[in-house]
Amino acid sequence: MTRGKRVVSLVMSMILVIVLAACSGNKNKEENSASNAGGSESAASPAASSANADSGAIDTSKFVKISYVVLGDKPKNGQFDKTLEKVNKLMKEKINAELEWKWVEWADWSTKYNLLLASGEPIDLITIATDWLDTWNNAQRGAFTPLDDLLPKYAPQTWDSIPQEDWAQSKYNGKIVLIPENDYTQWVNHGMFYRGDWAKEAGITSPITDFETLGKYFQYIKDNKPDVVPWDATSGGVAPYIGFTNSYTDMLELPIGTGYMPAFYAKSFDEKYTVESPIFNDVFLNMAKMMKDWADKGYWREDVLNYKGDTRTLLKAGLSGADAHHTQTFGTLRVLMDNEQPGSELAMFPFSATRKNLVELSITHGGTSLGAHSKNPERALMAYDLIRNDKEIYQLLNFGMEGVQYELKDGKRVKPAGYDENRDSFYSDFWGGRVDKFEIPTDTVWDGVSQYYAEYDTYKKPYPYGQFVFDKSSIDPELTAISQVIGEMGPAILYGKAGDPVKAVEEFRNKLKAAGYDKVLAEIQKQMDAYKKLIEG
């Protein structure tokens, strides 16, 4: 028996040695296979992989491709692709990864963007915005990966540089779902651009700060410049509505989408948790009456509701007297007008100027999220950390190649000799993490825009809805119906093409009521009351 036991023990020991050796061999095969999964270029030696494991460093031995979804029309001249090649050489060296830039183009962008997030496609990084890209509703649908546990390890520079109070504005249900663009100065408050030279001809010697004076300017153009459309507008813009609300009420727009134009606002900064709508305010009726008068006087084209022309190009050609957009656009457009219409002295009527109604931009007006189905979340965040914090990569992606897109002169970016706009122009539509520290001033932005910024700083108010997460699940059908009514009737009212403005506004309001306006208002107010408790206790 003793001898038998010894034999059995010896046999079992031999079997165990063989099994362990086999397991070790298989393990080495699996590790080598994983290392070589990205092809021969990305293979790391077993020694390097072992060193990474031993040191606790992040294993980047497998080469991966990281997608980044942005909003905008894809560049056609190849300059972005050339720049991205340079970026990807750096990405390969630093984290063994490559960026794939993907555009959601402007035609029907809202539908395409939301469908992309709902499709289950394995998106890595994607541009977000809580005030115009429906971020909270997409978060509610589970479109994004929570980042709390990933950021400190895989995007440590970003994690350390963003204050906790800003991370607090980036959470849904207590989890971080976006990286805010919190360290970039911009003003996207809207207003009207007009020619200062023509305003002076019209006897307007002070900056325009109200719609009545703007009408005087338009009438002068109509009477004295027969080849010019006073305001060559298109019905896709909502400047009359946004402008009147901003200029003649104290209301603050809430981050709640209702299609063509926003229906729900807070009463004022002092009553920021009281919900109402400009549409049911007398100011809206006054706007409708004035816009009907302007349409009848021919301040824009008769076919404004169907016109699809490039109105900004017509302004630069001297064929239009006005354009509407935000301050960032104005700073660039002023330089173009100085070149193409010398002496035009393009100026801006910020809608906030009438009664100093202006809030700062939300830090989540731009930002980046990680898709819920990302196959490489860790490496995606490492790539983002480089885009935001590596000066060379940042400036390549935002400005292109020095010597091709720009040269530096007196600390500013200027166009190189021989620069051709069609051949050499560059943009990336990266609005997901710009930072002031790496920005390079440009001679394409008018220095005088700083005067507007300084004026805004004297009366701006802090953005109050950074942590407001709107849940539309209980009123989604009503919100959809309201958006449809607004899309059907809004453009005609805003551009004076709906007939009698009193009757048109009454019908508009009745249809909104029938679509469920009161129910939606009550639900928003309920959620705003809860938000007030969250903020104020």
Side-chain angles (χ1 to χ4, degrees), residues 65-71 91 95 97-104 113 116-117 121-128 143-145 147 150-151 154-155 177-179 367-388 397 430 432:
K65 293 185 177 183
I66 303 298
S67 63
Y68 197 120
V69 177
V70 299
L71 278 290
M91 286 283 174
I95 62 169
E98 178 181 293
L99 284 173
E100 293 182 307
W101 224 247
K102 296 187 176 182
W103 271 267
V104 173
Y113 177 87
L116 177 64
L117 281 171
E121 183 175 328
I123 299 165
D124 295 313
L125 303 170
I126 184 168
T127 304
I128 57 85
F144 308 123
T145 297
L147 302 175
L150 296 170
L151 284 164
Y154 299 105
V177 295
L178 63 90
I179 304 170
T368 298
S369 285
L370 181 69
H373 304 285
S374 170
K375 293 182 178 179
N376 298 287
E378 297 87 358
R379 207 78 63 83
L381 288 177
M382 293 173 72
Y384 179 87
D385 212 32
L386 287 171
I387 293 171
R388 182 171 176 136
L397 274 175
F430 174 66

Coordinates of all heavy atoms in Angstrom, one line a residue, residues 65-71 91 95 97-104 113 116-117 121-128 143-145 147 150-151 154-155 177-179 367-388 397 430 432:
K65 N -8.2 52.3 -32.9 CA -8.7 53.5 -33.6 C -9.8 54.1 -32.7 O -10.7 53.3 -32.3 CB -9.2 53.2 -35.0 CG -8.1 52.8 -36.0 CD -8.7 52.6 -37.4 CE -7.5 52.2 -38.4 NZ -8.0 52.1 -39.8
I66 N -9.8 55.4 -32.6 CA -10.7 56.1 -31.7 C -11.6 57.1 -32.6 O -11.0 57.9 -33.2 CB -10.0 56.9 -30.6 CG1 -9.2 55.9 -29.7 CG2 -11.0 57.6 -29.7 CD1 -9.9 54.9 -29.0
S67 N -12.9 56.9 -32.5 CA -13.7 57.8 -33.3 C -14.1 59.1 -32.5 O -14.2 59.0 -31.2 CB -15.0 57.1 -33.7 OG -15.8 56.7 -32.6
Y68 N -14.2 60.2 -33.1 CA -14.6 61.4 -32.5 C -15.7 62.1 -33.4 O -15.4 62.4 -34.6 CB -13.4 62.4 -32.3 CG -13.7 63.5 -31.3 CD1 -13.0 63.7 -30.1 CD2 -14.8 64.4 -31.5 CE1 -13.3 64.7 -29.2 CE2 -15.1 65.4 -30.6 CZ -14.3 65.5 -29.4 OH -14.6 66.5 -28.5
V69 N -16.9 62.2 -32.9 CA -18.0 62.7 -33.7 C -18.1 64.2 -33.4 O -18.2 64.6 -32.3 CB -19.3 62.0 -33.3 CG1 -20.5 62.6 -34.1 CG2 -19.2 60.5 -33.6
V70 N -18.2 65.0 -34.5 CA -18.3 66.4 -34.4 C -19.5 66.9 -35.2 O -20.0 66.2 -36.1 CB -17.0 67.2 -34.8 CG1 -15.9 66.8 -33.9 CG2 -16.7 67.0 -36.3
L71 N -19.9 68.1 -35.0 CA -21.0 68.7 -35.8 C -20.4 69.6 -36.9 O -19.6 70.5 -36.5 CB -22.0 69.5 -34.9 CG -23.1 68.8 -34.1 CD1 -24.1 68.3 -35.1 CD2 -22.5 67.7 -33.3
M91 N -0.3 60.7 -31.8 CA -1.1 59.8 -31.0 C -0.5 58.4 -31.0 O -0.6 57.7 -30.0 CB -2.5 59.7 -31.7 CG -3.4 60.9 -31.4 SD -4.1 60.9 -29.7 CE -4.9 62.5 -29.7
I95 N 0.2 57.0 -27.3 CA -0.8 56.1 -26.7 C -1.1 54.9 -27.7 O -2.0 54.2 -27.4 CB -2.1 56.8 -26.3 CG1 -2.8 57.4 -27.5 CG2 -1.8 57.8 -25.2 CD1 -4.2 57.9 -27.1
A97 N -2.5 54.8 -30.6 CA -3.9 54.9 -31.1 C -4.0 55.9 -32.3 O -3.0 56.7 -32.5 CB -4.8 55.4 -30.0
E98 N -5.1 55.9 -33.0 CA -5.3 56.8 -34.1 C -6.7 57.3 -34.0 O -7.7 56.6 -33.7 CB -5.2 56.0 -35.4 CG -5.4 56.7 -36.7 CD -5.3 55.9 -37.9 OE1 -4.1 55.4 -38.2 OE2 -6.3 55.6 -38.6
L99 N -6.9 58.6 -34.3 CA -8.2 59.3 -34.3 C -8.9 59.2 -35.6 O -8.2 59.3 -36.7 CB -8.0 60.8 -34.0 CG -7.7 61.2 -32.5 CD1 -7.4 62.7 -32.4 CD2 -8.9 60.8 -31.6
E100 N -10.2 58.9 -35.6 CA -11.0 59.0 -36.8 C -12.0 60.1 -36.6 O -12.9 59.9 -35.7 CB -11.7 57.6 -37.0 CG -10.8 56.5 -37.4 CD -11.6 55.2 -37.7 OE1 -12.4 54.8 -36.8 OE2 -11.4 54.6 -38.8
W101 N -12.0 61.1 -37.3 CA -12.9 62.3 -37.2 C -14.1 62.0 -38.0 O -14.1 61.7 -39.2 CB -12.2 63.5 -37.7 CG -12.4 64.7 -36.8 CD1 -13.1 65.9 -37.2 CD2 -11.8 65.0 -35.5 NE1 -13.0 66.8 -36.1 CE2 -12.3 66.3 -35.1 CE3 -11.1 64.2 -34.7 CZ2 -11.9 66.8 -33.9 CZ3 -10.7 64.8 -33.5 CH2 -11.1 66.1 -33.1
K102 N -15.3 62.1 -37.4 CA -16.6 61.8 -38.1 C -17.5 63.0 -37.9 O -17.7 63.5 -36.8 CB -17.2 60.6 -37.5 CG -16.4 59.3 -37.7 CD -17.2 58.0 -37.3 CE -16.4 56.8 -37.6 NZ -17.1 55.6 -37.2
W103 N -18.1 63.5 -39.1 CA -18.9 64.6 -39.1 C -20.4 64.3 -39.1 O -20.8 63.4 -39.9 CB -18.6 65.5 -40.3 CG -17.5 66.5 -40.0 CD1 -17.7 67.8 -39.6 CD2 -16.1 66.4 -40.2 NE1 -16.5 68.5 -39.5 CE2 -15.5 67.6 -39.9 CE3 -15.3 65.3 -40.6 CZ2 -14.1 67.8 -39.9 CZ3 -14.0 65.5 -40.6 CH2 -13.4 66.7 -40.3
V104 N -21.2 64.9 -38.3 CA -22.7 65.0 -38.5 C -22.9 66.3 -39.2 O -22.8 67.3 -38.6 CB -23.4 64.9 -37.2 CG1 -24.9 65.1 -37.4 CG2 -23.2 63.6 -36.5
Y113 N -28.0 63.4 -35.5 CA -27.2 63.3 -34.3 C -27.9 62.4 -33.3 O -27.2 61.5 -32.7 CB -27.0 64.7 -33.7 CG -26.2 64.8 -32.4 CD1 -24.8 64.8 -32.4 CD2 -26.9 64.8 -31.2 CE1 -24.2 64.9 -31.2 CE2 -26.2 64.9 -30.0 CZ -24.9 64.9 -30.0 OH -24.2 65.0 -28.8
L116 N -28.0 58.8 -34.4 CA -26.6 58.2 -34.2 C -26.5 57.7 -32.8 O -26.0 56.5 -32.5 CB -25.6 59.2 -34.6 CG -24.1 58.7 -34.4 CD1 -23.8 57.5 -35.3 CD2 -23.1 59.8 -34.6
L117 N -26.8 58.5 -31.8 CA -26.7 58.1 -30.4 C -27.6 57.0 -30.0 O -27.3 56.2 -29.1 CB -26.9 59.3 -29.5 CG -25.7 60.2 -29.4 CD1 -26.1 61.5 -28.6 CD2 -24.5 59.6 -28.7
E121 N -24.5 52.3 -32.3 CA -23.2 52.3 -32.9 C -22.1 52.5 -31.9 O -22.2 53.3 -31.0 CB -23.1 53.4 -34.0 CG -21.8 53.4 -34.8 CD -21.8 54.4 -35.9 OE1 -22.9 54.7 -36.4 OE2 -20.8 55.0 -36.2
P122 N -20.9 51.8 -32.0 CA -19.9 51.9 -31.0 C -19.1 53.2 -31.1 O -17.9 53.3 -31.5 CB -19.0 50.7 -31.2 CG -19.2 50.4 -32.7 CD -20.6 50.7 -33.0
I123 N -19.7 54.4 -30.8 CA -19.1 55.7 -30.8 C -18.1 55.7 -29.6 O -18.4 55.3 -28.5 CB -20.2 56.8 -30.6 CG1 -21.2 56.7 -31.8 CG2 -19.5 58.1 -30.5 CD1 -22.4 57.5 -31.5
D124 N -17.0 56.4 -29.9 CA -16.0 56.6 -28.8 C -16.3 58.0 -28.2 O -17.1 58.1 -27.2 CB -14.6 56.5 -29.3 CG -14.3 55.0 -29.7 OD1 -14.6 54.1 -28.9 OD2 -13.7 54.8 -30.7
L125 N -15.7 59.0 -28.7 CA -15.9 60.4 -28.3 C -16.9 61.1 -29.1 O -17.0 60.9 -30.3 CB -14.6 61.2 -28.3 CG -13.4 60.5 -27.5 CD1 -12.1 61.2 -27.8 CD2 -13.7 60.6 -26.0
I126 N -17.7 62.0 -28.5 CA -18.7 62.7 -29.3 C -19.0 64.1 -28.7 O -19.0 64.2 -27.4 CB -20.1 61.9 -29.3 CG1 -21.1 62.6 -30.2 CG2 -20.6 61.6 -27.9 CD1 -22.3 61.8 -30.6
T127 N -19.1 65.1 -29.5 CA -19.4 66.4 -29.1 C -20.8 66.5 -28.4 O -21.7 65.9 -28.9 CB -19.4 67.4 -30.3 OG1 -18.1 67.3 -30.9 CG2 -19.6 68.8 -29.8
I128 N -20.9 67.2 -27.3 CA -22.2 67.3 -26.6 C -22.4 68.8 -26.3 O -21.5 69.6 -26.3 CB -22.3 66.5 -25.4 CG1 -21.2 66.8 -24.4 CG2 -22.3 65.0 -25.7 CD1 -21.4 68.0 -23.5
A143 N -27.2 57.0 -23.4 CA -26.3 57.1 -24.5 C -24.9 57.2 -24.2 O -24.0 57.1 -25.1 CB -26.8 58.3 -25.4
F144 N -24.5 57.5 -22.9 CA -23.2 57.8 -22.5 C -22.6 56.9 -21.4 O -23.4 56.4 -20.6 CB -23.0 59.3 -22.1 CG -23.6 60.3 -23.1 CD1 -24.6 61.2 -22.7 CD2 -23.2 60.3 -24.4 CE1 -25.2 62.1 -23.5 CE2 -23.7 61.2 -25.3 CZ -24.7 62.1 -24.9
T145 N -21.3 56.8 -21.4 CA -20.7 56.0 -20.4 C -20.3 56.8 -19.2 O -19.7 57.9 -19.4 CB -19.3 55.4 -20.9 OG1 -19.6 54.5 -22.0 CG2 -18.6 54.6 -19.8
L147 N -18.2 58.4 -16.3 CA -16.8 58.6 -16.4 C -16.1 58.7 -15.0 O -14.8 58.8 -15.0 CB -16.5 59.9 -17.1 CG -17.1 60.0 -18.5 CD1 -16.8 61.4 -19.1 CD2 -16.4 59.0 -19.5
L150 N -13.2 56.3 -14.6 CA -12.2 56.3 -15.7 C -11.4 57.5 -15.7 O -10.2 57.5 -16.1 CB -13.0 56.1 -17.0 CG -13.8 54.8 -17.2 CD1 -14.7 54.9 -18.4 CD2 -12.8 53.6 -17.3
L151 N -11.9 58.7 -15.5 CA -11.2 59.9 -15.7 C -9.9 60.0 -14.9 O -8.9 60.4 -15.4 CB -12.1 61.1 -15.3 CG -13.2 61.5 -16.4 CD1 -14.2 62.4 -15.7 CD2 -12.5 62.2 -17.6
Y154 N -7.3 57.6 -16.7 CA -7.1 57.6 -18.1 C -7.1 59.0 -18.7 O -6.6 59.3 -19.8 CB -8.1 56.8 -18.9 CG -8.0 55.3 -18.5 CD1 -9.0 54.7 -17.7 CD2 -6.9 54.5 -18.9 CE1 -8.9 53.4 -17.3 CE2 -6.8 53.2 -18.5 CZ -7.8 52.6 -17.7 OH -7.7 51.3 -17.3
A155 N -7.6 60.0 -17.9 CA -7.5 61.4 -18.4 C -7.1 62.3 -17.2 O -7.8 63.2 -16.8 CB -8.8 61.9 -19.0
V177 N -21.2 62.4 -16.9 CA -21.5 61.8 -18.2 C -20.9 62.7 -19.3 O -21.0 62.4 -20.5 CB -23.0 61.6 -18.4 CG1 -23.5 60.6 -17.5 CG2 -23.7 63.0 -18.3
L178 N -20.2 63.8 -18.9 CA -19.6 64.6 -20.0 C -18.4 65.4 -19.4 O -18.3 65.5 -18.2 CB -20.6 65.6 -20.5 CG -21.2 66.7 -19.5 CD1 -20.4 67.9 -19.5 CD2 -22.6 67.0 -19.9
I179 N -17.5 65.8 -20.3 CA -16.4 66.6 -19.9 C -16.7 68.0 -20.4 O -16.8 68.3 -21.6 CB -15.1 66.1 -20.5 CG1 -14.8 64.7 -20.1 CG2 -13.9 67.0 -20.1 CD1 -13.7 64.0 -20.9
G367 N -18.7 70.4 -25.1 CA -18.1 69.4 -24.3 C -18.0 68.1 -25.0 O -18.3 68.0 -26.2
T368 N -17.6 67.1 -24.3 CA -17.3 65.8 -24.9 C -17.9 64.7 -24.0 O -17.7 64.7 -22.8 CB -15.9 65.5 -25.2 OG1 -15.4 66.5 -26.1 CG2 -15.6 64.1 -25.8
S369 N -18.5 63.7 -24.6 CA -19.0 62.5 -23.8 C -18.4 61.3 -24.5 O -17.8 61.3 -25.6 CB -20.5 62.4 -23.8 OG -21.0 63.3 -23.0
L370 N -18.4 60.2 -23.8 CA -18.0 58.9 -24.2 C -19.2 58.0 -24.5 O -20.1 57.9 -23.6 CB -17.1 58.2 -23.1 CG -16.5 56.9 -23.5 CD1 -15.4 57.0 -24.5 CD2 -15.9 56.3 -22.2
G371 N -19.3 57.5 -25.7 CA -20.5 56.7 -26.1 C -20.6 55.5 -25.2 O -19.7 54.9 -24.8
A372 N -21.9 55.1 -25.0 CA -22.2 54.0 -24.1 C -21.6 52.7 -24.7 O -21.4 51.7 -24.0 CB -23.7 53.9 -23.9
H373 N -21.5 52.6 -26.0 CA -21.0 51.3 -26.7 C -19.6 51.4 -27.2 O -19.2 50.6 -28.0 CB -22.0 51.0 -27.8 CG -23.4 50.9 -27.4 ND1 -23.9 49.9 -26.7 CD2 -24.5 51.8 -27.6 CE1 -25.2 50.1 -26.5 NE2 -25.6 51.2 -27.0
S374 N -18.8 52.3 -26.6 CA -17.4 52.5 -27.0 C -16.7 51.1 -26.7 O -16.8 50.5 -25.7 CB -16.8 53.6 -26.2 OG -15.4 53.6 -26.4
K375 N -15.9 50.7 -27.7 CA -15.1 49.5 -27.5 C -13.8 49.7 -26.9 O -13.1 48.8 -26.4 CB -14.9 48.8 -28.9 CG -16.2 48.3 -29.5 CD -15.9 47.6 -30.8 CE -17.2 47.0 -31.4 NZ -17.0 46.3 -32.8
N376 N -13.4 51.0 -26.8 CA -12.1 51.3 -26.2 C -12.2 52.6 -25.4 O -11.6 53.6 -25.6 CB -11.0 51.6 -27.3 CG -10.8 50.4 -28.2 OD1 -10.2 49.4 -27.8 ND2 -11.3 50.4 -29.4
P377 N -13.0 52.5 -24.3 CA -13.2 53.7 -23.5 C -12.0 54.2 -22.8 O -11.8 55.5 -22.7 CB -14.2 53.2 -22.4 CG -14.1 51.7 -22.4 CD -13.7 51.3 -23.8
E378 N -11.1 53.3 -22.4 CA -9.9 53.8 -21.7 C -9.0 54.6 -22.7 O -8.5 55.7 -22.4 CB -9.1 52.6 -21.1 CG -9.8 51.9 -20.0 CD -10.7 50.8 -20.6 OE1 -10.8 50.6 -21.9 OE2 -11.4 50.0 -19.8
R379 N -8.7 54.0 -23.8 CA -7.9 54.7 -24.8 C -8.5 56.0 -25.4 O -7.8 56.9 -25.7 CB -7.5 53.8 -25.9 CG -6.1 54.1 -26.6 CD -4.9 53.6 -25.7 NE -5.0 52.2 -25.6 CZ -4.5 51.3 -26.5 NH1 -3.9 51.8 -27.6 NH2 -4.5 50.1 -26.3
A380 N -9.8 55.9 -25.5 CA -10.6 57.1 -25.9 C -10.3 58.3 -25.0 O -10.1 59.4 -25.4 CB -12.1 56.8 -26.1
L381 N -10.4 58.0 -23.7 CA -10.1 59.1 -22.7 C -8.7 59.6 -22.7 O -8.4 60.7 -22.5 CB -10.6 58.7 -21.3 CG -12.1 58.6 -21.1 CD1 -12.4 58.1 -19.7 CD2 -12.8 59.9 -21.3
M382 N -7.8 58.6 -23.0 CA -6.4 59.0 -23.1 C -6.2 59.9 -24.3 O -5.4 60.9 -24.2 CB -5.5 57.8 -23.2 CG -5.5 56.9 -22.0 SD -4.6 55.3 -22.2 CE -2.9 55.9 -22.3
A383 N -6.9 59.6 -25.4 CA -6.8 60.5 -26.6 C -7.4 61.9 -26.3 O -6.8 62.9 -26.7 CB -7.6 59.8 -27.7
Y384 N -8.5 61.9 -25.6 CA -9.1 63.2 -25.2 C -8.1 64.0 -24.4 O -8.0 65.2 -24.5 CB -10.4 63.0 -24.5 CG -11.0 64.3 -24.1 CD1 -11.8 65.0 -25.0 CD2 -10.7 64.9 -22.9 CE1 -12.4 66.3 -24.6 CE2 -11.3 66.1 -22.5 CZ -12.1 66.8 -23.4 OH -12.6 68.0 -23.0
D385 N -7.5 63.3 -23.4 CA -6.6 64.0 -22.5 C -5.4 64.7 -23.3 O -5.0 65.8 -23.0 CB -6.0 63.0 -21.5 CG -5.7 63.6 -20.1 OD1 -6.4 64.6 -19.8 OD2 -4.7 63.2 -19.5
L386 N -5.0 64.0 -24.4 CA -4.0 64.6 -25.2 C -4.5 65.8 -26.0 O -3.9 66.8 -26.2 CB -3.4 63.5 -26.2 CG -2.5 62.5 -25.5 CD1 -2.1 61.4 -26.5 CD2 -1.2 63.2 -25.0
I387 N -5.7 65.6 -26.6 CA -6.3 66.7 -27.4 C -6.4 68.0 -26.6 O -6.1 69.1 -27.1 CB -7.7 66.3 -27.9 CG1 -7.6 65.1 -28.9 CG2 -8.4 67.5 -28.6 CD1 -8.9 64.6 -29.3
R388 N -6.8 67.8 -25.4 CA -7.0 69.0 -24.5 C -5.8 69.5 -23.8 O -5.7 70.8 -23.5 CB -8.1 68.6 -23.4 CG -8.5 69.8 -22.5 CD -9.6 69.4 -21.6 NE -10.0 70.4 -20.7 CZ -11.2 70.8 -20.4 NH1 -12.2 70.3 -21.0 NH2 -11.4 71.8 -19.5
L397 N -5.0 70.5 -34.2 CA -6.4 70.2 -34.5 C -7.3 71.5 -34.6 O -8.3 71.5 -35.3 CB -7.0 69.3 -33.4 CG -6.8 67.8 -33.5 CD1 -7.3 67.0 -32.3 CD2 -7.5 67.3 -34.8
F430 N -14.0 71.3 -33.7 CA -13.7 70.8 -32.3 C -14.2 71.8 -31.3 O -13.6 72.9 -31.1 CB -12.2 70.5 -32.1 CG -11.9 70.1 -30.7 CD1 -12.4 68.9 -30.2 CD2 -11.2 71.0 -29.8 CE1 -12.1 68.6 -28.8 CE2 -10.9 70.6 -28.5 CZ -11.4 69.4 -28.0
G432 N -15.3 70.6 -28.2 CA -15.5 69.7 -27.1 C -14.5 69.8 -26.0 O -14.5 69.0 -25.1

